[in-house]
Amino acid sequence: MVSIAINNSNSTTFDASIINEAITGYFAEDRWSALNCPLLKDKWMGSKDKWLVFETFRSESLKSEVKYYFYSNLVHNSLSPKTLWRSYSTILITLGKFLNIYYPNLKSLIELPLEEFIGQLRVYMISIGKPVEKKRYLTESNSRWQSSGTSESMGLTAARSIYNYLYSVFNVKPETELDRWDVRKLGLDFNITSGTHHINFNLIPSNFKEFTKSYFKLRLIDHGDLSWASAVYHMIILRTFLAFINTNYPHWCDLKNLSRADILRYIEYLRIQPMGGNSAKAGQKPTEKYIYRTLSATHSFLQYIQTIGFDEAPDKLVNTLILLSEDVPRQKRRNEEAIQYIPDYVWEQVVENISSMASDTIPIILVLEATGFRICDVLQLRQNCLLEQEDGFWIEGRQRKTKHINHKVPVSKEIADIIKSQITFTNEALPFEQNKQNYLFPVLTGRRRGIPPLNSTITRRLNDMAFKCGITDINGNIYWFKSHSFRHRYGVNLVNNGMNIYHIQKLMAHACPEITLHYAKLHDKSLRDAWENARNSTAIKLDDNGFIVSSNIESAASENGLELEWIRHNLDSVRLDHGYCIKVPSQQCDYLETTLDPPCIKNKCRSFHVDQTFIDYYQKQISIMQTDINTYNNTGRYRSIEIIKPRLEKFQKILERLLNNQPLLGMNKSSREYVANERSSGK
């Protein structure tokens, strides 16, 4: 029989009384039936009974620990009965036999280091023909964010989950002395919607582990100059760097002798080593951005431990080891075109298909679009976020990135009603004891019950909808949603609606106006594109007698040199429902109050211009008038037909020209620059 000596490095308190009080009656049995489980609120819906079998565990203490894991998940509804009885049950017989053979004298599972436990279990499972990996199947929607390949089998995942739960319950060591830190036990502020709770120092070479832990303790806890999200990212960088050093210098316990030559070899290694992780970029050639971020984080680490005075720090100045101006690729300056916002064309498709999404996701998407909040800030809204003031409704919430505590933005009554309904729904579905933080969008079941969903969950659901419903961009390609694109949409819409930069900066809680100016520049580009489209198209206008004649914007510009520039800067303000009114502000409209019909058409105004963007308007109006004429004809209202028919004919003529790619434009210099009495005096 093979057995392994136990390295009892983990300090634990095995409180058998906690387990013994729970594991009684039904749970004291070694076979748990799904049909007879007293903790299942709903009857087992499987076609036949399922069993959790604990009979293979010879050690009563180990058996009780594993039972306690399943018992706790049932009590707290952390895992579904389906997961426990159908998925996690598969590891029980194998786990019992493994512990009997390899660790016959083990009293508690967490006396073992996690990596040793999983590593040895993996070897055993391979030896008996049990799967240790599963193929990662990609769908059309997840192929952009996840790589193909394999991941840990369900059996190993279950074993890891059992260990981690027991460790969290019975370990008594301070968190910073452990090899795996849980941010929830460190008392640090962190983004609860990211789903990243741990830093695992077991992934760092053992000879570098302790001073790496000291580095993170200083920055995270003592000095507080590193956020949890940054710490997680730095850990990924450091395990790559320190593993490289350990491979080349396996006897090193510090970085004192680190040289410029070592750094150059590391840079060469980075450039030929494919990127890792589970993202869609895994296995691809390293990008310049990846090289930049990796070297910058490595430089930051080395410089910090040298400045603080770590004994393990390099003897040579870090700035002579990593030359930022030469080694780190220069990043391209972000331009306005890089801002990926959701255009109206796409948003209209979202609204049309939003009912196909999960019902708990719909209000999140609507609030995300209406507020301009980052997705993590929307998901962490509390139920008291809705304010009703004399001037209307506002949503108030925290802006994590810029540390605004009570940031608020105005919202419509429709959004306010959605939030009120969400509050009612949440309180009916989840008692306060299970939502003590009073979240507006808590998960209702499972491990995350009572806390918000993950950012990634919402984004994946959006992209699943895009593929399922065929939501496309302007080129007909399936649209790829990124959660931050909603925030960019909000900013672009504010600029397009004429709000000044200062107010936009305030509404979006930007730290500086330079960020907000990106939206203004993007708006200028959109205006330019619209202007160029109008400039390059053929056109029509109304002549002095009100007849439709051909024209073009270039000929109008040749008569007055400022025409093109003036129109370009006023394209939004001169647009009406039925066309453009191209006149200077000093010229009054003579027809504004003379008719209920559009005065520009009724009075044959020469400042009236139309292009193909108004086709929908004219088609809709013609349809309405034709319906009205049929109604009047059936009811004998012939006078009404006489009144409406000339307008219908005029609209039909305009539509015919537009459909033939002949927009209506044109205006001469005197008409644009002088008011009526000035024209008659010959100025």
Side-chain angles (χ1 to χ4, degrees):
M1 182 177 70
V2 177
S3 64
I4 298 177
I6 300 170
N7 178 16
N8 199 353
S9 60
N10 286 348
S11 175
T12 63
T13 298
F14 182 78
D15 191 346
S17 64
I18 297 176
I19 295 178
N20 292 337
E21 289 175 5
I23 308 303
T24 59
Y26 167 90
F27 301 104
E29 301 294 329
D30 287 345
R31 294 171 66 89
W32 295 2
S33 162
L35 284 174
N36 299 323
C37 180
L39 289 179
L40 292 189
K41 295 180 180 179
D42 300 317
K43 186 177 179 181
W44 177 252
M45 301 302 293
S47 58
K48 58 182 180 179
D49 200 3
K50 290 286 184 179
W51 297 83
L52 294 174
V53 180
F54 304 94
E55 294 171 339
T56 56
F57 291 87
R58 292 177 186 167
S59 168
E60 289 298 323
S61 62
L62 291 177
K63 182 191 296 184
S64 295
E65 280 189 339
V66 176
K67 283 184 178 180
Y68 187 70
Y69 166 81
F70 283 86
Y71 168 83
S72 297
N73 277 285
L74 286 168
V75 168
H76 300 293
N77 197 26
S78 301
L79 291 174
S80 70
K82 180 179 178 181
T83 298
L84 294 175
W85 265 277
R86 288 185 175 173
S87 299
Y88 280 21
S89 62
T90 59
I91 192 59
L92 287 176
I93 295 176
T94 300
L95 181 59
K97 291 180 177 179
F98 161 73
L99 292 172
N100 296 339
I101 297 172
Y102 281 74
Y103 301 99
N105 300 316
L106 189 67
K107 299 300 181 185
S108 174
L109 192 62
I110 57 176
E111 291 177 9
L112 300 173
L114 172 63
E115 298 308 317
E116 178 185 335
F117 166 59
I118 294 297
Q120 292 296 338
L121 177 59
R122 181 185 177 91
V123 170
Y124 174 72
M125 291 176 67
I126 292 173
S127 70
I128 62 174
K130 295 288 185 180
V132 295
E133 293 180 339
K134 61 181 179 181
K135 187 174 182 179
R136 190 182 297 118
Y137 291 97
L138 300 183
T139 64
E140 286 185 304
S141 60
N142 71 14
S143 60
R144 291 193 178 187
W145 58 265
Q146 191 177 55
S147 65
S148 59
T150 59
S151 57
E152 196 172 65
S153 70
M154 184 60 71
L156 282 177
T157 298
R160 188 183 296 274
S161 178
I162 292 170
Y163 181 98
N164 286 334
Y165 174 76
L166 294 173
Y167 197 83
S168 69
V169 172
F170 295 111
N171 172 70
V172 295
K173 267 189 176 182
E175 195 70 15
T176 53
E177 293 182 18
L178 304 178
D179 289 340
R180 187 171 182 263
W181 294 0
D182 187 334
V183 66
R184 293 165 294 189
K185 296 183 178 181
L186 291 172
L188 300 174
D189 180 50
F190 71 103
N191 178 9
I192 197 172
T193 67
S194 71
T196 308
H197 299 144
H198 299 95
I199 289 179
N200 189 355
F201 293 97
N202 288 309
L203 302 176
I204 298 291
S206 57
N207 43 340
F208 299 136
K209 183 188 297 184
E210 291 306 317
F211 83 81
T212 304
K213 288 165 68 173
S214 297
Y215 164 76
F216 280 101
K217 182 177 180 296
L218 273 174
R219 297 206 63 181
L220 272 173
I221 300 171
D222 298 342
H223 296 168
D225 61 352
L226 191 69
S227 70
W228 179 256
S230 296
V232 171
Y233 181 74
H234 277 218
M235 172 58 79
I236 296 172
I237 300 299
L238 290 183
R239 75 189 190 200
T240 302
F241 171 67
L242 294 175
F244 171 82
I245 297 299
N246 188 62
T247 300
N248 287 274
Y249 304 103
H251 301 298
W252 278 16
C253 294
D254 54 48
L255 301 173
K256 289 183 178 181
N257 295 323
L258 191 68
S259 67
R260 172 67 177 162
D262 297 324
I263 295 298
L264 291 176
R265 282 195 296 270
Y266 179 57
I267 295 173
E268 183 180 354
Y269 168 80
L270 288 177
R271 292 194 176 279
I272 62 175
Q273 189 71 13
M275 294 184 289
N278 291 330
S279 73
K281 294 183 178 179
Q284 295 183 10
K285 181 181 178 181
T287 62
E288 290 299 293
K289 183 177 181 179
Y290 170 79
I291 302 294
Y292 167 79
R293 297 181 70 177
T294 300
L295 289 178
S296 295
T298 304
H299 178 274
S300 175
F301 164 71
L302 294 174
Q303 190 167 58
Y304 190 92
I305 63 174
Q306 189 175 76
T307 302
I308 293 296
F310 274 52
D311 291 338
E312 297 84 358
D315 289 337
K316 296 181 180 179
L317 287 175
V318 172
N319 286 336
T320 65
L321 297 175
I322 301 180
L323 308 180
L324 293 177
S325 60
E326 297 181 16
D327 300 335
V328 179
R330 182 172 296 179
Q331 295 299 286
K332 294 181 180 179
R333 189 181 185 89
R334 183 182 180 184
N335 58 43
E336 292 69 45
E337 294 183 15
I339 296 179
Q340 297 180 351
Y341 69 98
I342 299 173
D344 290 342
Y345 175 79
V346 172
W347 177 246
E348 289 168 3
Q349 296 176 72
V350 172
V351 173
E352 183 179 348
N353 294 283
I354 201 167
S355 60
S356 67
M357 299 190 74
S359 59
D360 60 344
T361 306
I362 294 174
I364 295 174
I365 299 302
L366 295 177
V367 173
L368 190 63
E369 196 271 342
T371 61
F373 280 26
R374 296 172 182 85
I375 189 169
C376 64
D377 298 323
V378 168
L379 294 177
Q380 295 181 73
L381 285 173
R382 303 308 205 265
Q383 291 186 22
N384 61 356
C385 67
L386 184 64
L387 307 178
E388 185 172 3
Q389 301 178 172
E390 292 182 359
D391 56 352
F393 292 98
W394 298 71
I395 287 183
E396 184 177 72
R398 180 185 179 191
Q399 300 290 295
R400 288 186 51 82
K401 185 175 181 180
T402 54
K403 297 180 172 59
H404 283 65
I405 302 300
N406 296 315
H407 178 69
K408 65 179 187 178
V409 297
V411 294
S412 66
K413 183 180 182 300
E414 290 77 10
I415 294 296
D417 289 341
I418 289 172
I419 291 176
K420 291 177 182 178
S421 297
Q422 178 66 22
I423 293 172
T424 301
F425 170 76
T426 299
N427 291 335
E428 290 176 352
L430 208 62
F432 175 75
E433 293 74 21
Q434 297 175 2
N435 184 20
K436 293 183 178 180
Q437 296 298 320
N438 212 27
Y439 287 116
L440 180 62
F441 301 113
V443 176
L444 302 181
T445 60
R447 287 183 174 179
R448 295 189 65 84
R449 183 175 57 177
I451 59 177
L454 299 178
N455 301 341
S456 56
T457 298
I458 305 303
T459 305
R460 284 201 295 269
R461 288 178 180 176
L462 274 167
N463 286 308
D464 285 343
M465 178 184 67
F467 278 89
K468 176 182 176 182
C469 301
I471 295 177
T472 60
D473 59 22
I474 198 67
N475 297 317
N477 300 317
I478 294 295
Y479 189 80
W480 176 243
F481 285 96
K482 295 182 179 179
S483 61
H484 209 66
S485 297
F486 284 91
R487 181 166 169 82
H488 291 324
R489 170 179 170 78
Y490 184 80
V492 169
N493 283 344
L494 292 180
V495 173
N496 288 346
N497 289 329
M499 183 176 286
N500 68 57
I501 294 298
Y502 171 76
H503 289 151
I504 296 173
Q505 179 189 354
K506 188 173 181 180
L507 273 178
M508 300 192 70
H510 281 155
C512 59
E514 287 76 14
I515 300 173
T516 316
L517 283 172
H518 282 296
Y519 296 117
K521 293 176 181 178
L522 183 65
H523 174 63
D524 284 346
K525 183 182 183 302
S526 299
L527 279 180
R528 181 71 192 186
D529 291 343
W531 161 244
E532 293 294 345
N533 289 336
R535 178 179 181 178
N536 295 329
S537 63
T538 56
I540 57 176
K541 68 177 182 180
L542 300 177
D543 65 11
D544 292 335
N545 297 317
F547 294 109
I548 298 173
V549 297
S550 297
S551 180
N552 62 71
I553 204 164
E554 291 287 359
S555 64
S558 66
E559 296 180 10
N560 45 89
L562 296 178
E563 180 93 11
L564 290 175
E565 188 68 14
W566 184 86
I567 296 174
R568 182 172 71 83
H569 284 289
N570 293 272
L571 200 60
D572 280 349
S573 62
V574 301
R575 184 183 177 95
L576 309 174
D577 285 342
H578 52 288
Y580 291 106
C581 176
I582 309 298
K583 68 176 186 62
V584 292
S586 61
Q587 180 181 338
Q588 299 298 316
C589 176
D590 298 329
Y591 314 120
L592 188 59
E593 299 179 359
T594 62
T595 177
L596 293 177
D597 284 344
C600 322
I601 299 175
K602 174 71 175 178
N603 297 284
K604 307 171 185 177
C605 177
R606 296 175 64 209
S607 295
F608 177 59
H609 306 251
V610 189
D611 62 21
Q612 285 92 341
T613 62
F614 295 93
I615 286 177
D616 287 345
Y617 170 83
Y618 283 99
Q619 288 177 331
K620 182 178 180 180
Q621 293 301 314
I622 288 171
S623 177
I624 292 173
M625 285 187 281
Q626 288 173 334
T627 300
D628 289 344
I629 287 175
N630 291 335
T631 301
Y632 297 151
N633 191 52
N634 293 334
T635 57
R637 295 171 60 183
Y638 302 114
R639 176 57 183 153
S640 297
I641 296 176
E642 292 178 5
I643 294 173
I644 200 174
K645 196 171 182 179
R647 182 186 180 199
L648 173 62
E649 292 173 350
K650 180 66 72 174
F651 274 47
Q652 288 174 329
K653 290 180 180 178
I654 292 176
L655 178 61
E656 182 182 357
R657 297 297 294 267
L658 294 178
L659 292 175
N660 290 325
N661 194 30
Q662 294 178 326
L664 183 153
L665 293 167
M667 182 178 183
N668 61 37
K669 183 179 179 70
S670 62
S671 295
R672 184 180 67 79
E673 294 190 353
Y674 303 128
V675 298
N677 60 342
E678 290 176 329
R679 276 189 237 115
S680 61
S681 63
K683 290 184 180 180

